[in-house]
Amino acid sequence: MSNLRKRALAAVDEATERTHHGTVERTLALRFTLAFLANFAEERWPFDQFWQAMAEPRDKERWAMTISARNAIHRIVAGDER
C-alpha cells in the first residue's frame, strides 16, 4: 500500500507541474488518484482545492492554489507512513 500511495503522490506532483503551464484537464484518472489518497486523510479540503485549482484560468492563482493543496495532501498522506 505504501508504494501505491507514493505513486499516487507522484501523479499529484506531475499534475501540479503541468498547472504551471496552463489549466490541466481534470481526467478520470486524476479524480481516482485524489479519491484514493483521500481515503488516508481525515480532511477533504486539500483534495477539493486541488481539483478546483487545476481549472483556475488565472496563472498565478492556479499555481499558488495548486501548490498549497499539493503540500497539504503530502503532509496528510505521507504523515500516515511515519
Side-chain angles (χ1 to χ4, degrees), residues 5-16 18 29-30 33 50:
R5 277 197 264 188
K6 287 178 185 174
R7 288 177 186 225
L9 287 170
V12 169
D13 291 342
E14 181 180 283
T16 301
R18 286 186 286 154
L30 189 53
T33 299
F50 189 87

Side-chain angles (χ1 to χ4, degrees), residues 41-57:
E42 293 182 18
E43 297 180 61
R44 183 180 168 99
W45 71 264
F47 305 96
D48 293 337
Q49 180 179 322
F50 189 87
W51 183 255
Q52 293 166 358
M54 290 189 313
E56 169 61 50

Side-chain angles (χ1 to χ4, degrees), residues 23-40:
T23 58
V24 174
E25 181 182 357
R26 297 186 294 182
T27 64
L28 183 59
L30 189 53
R31 184 184 304 185
F32 174 81
T33 299
L34 292 172
F36 170 76
L37 291 172
N39 284 310
F40 302 102

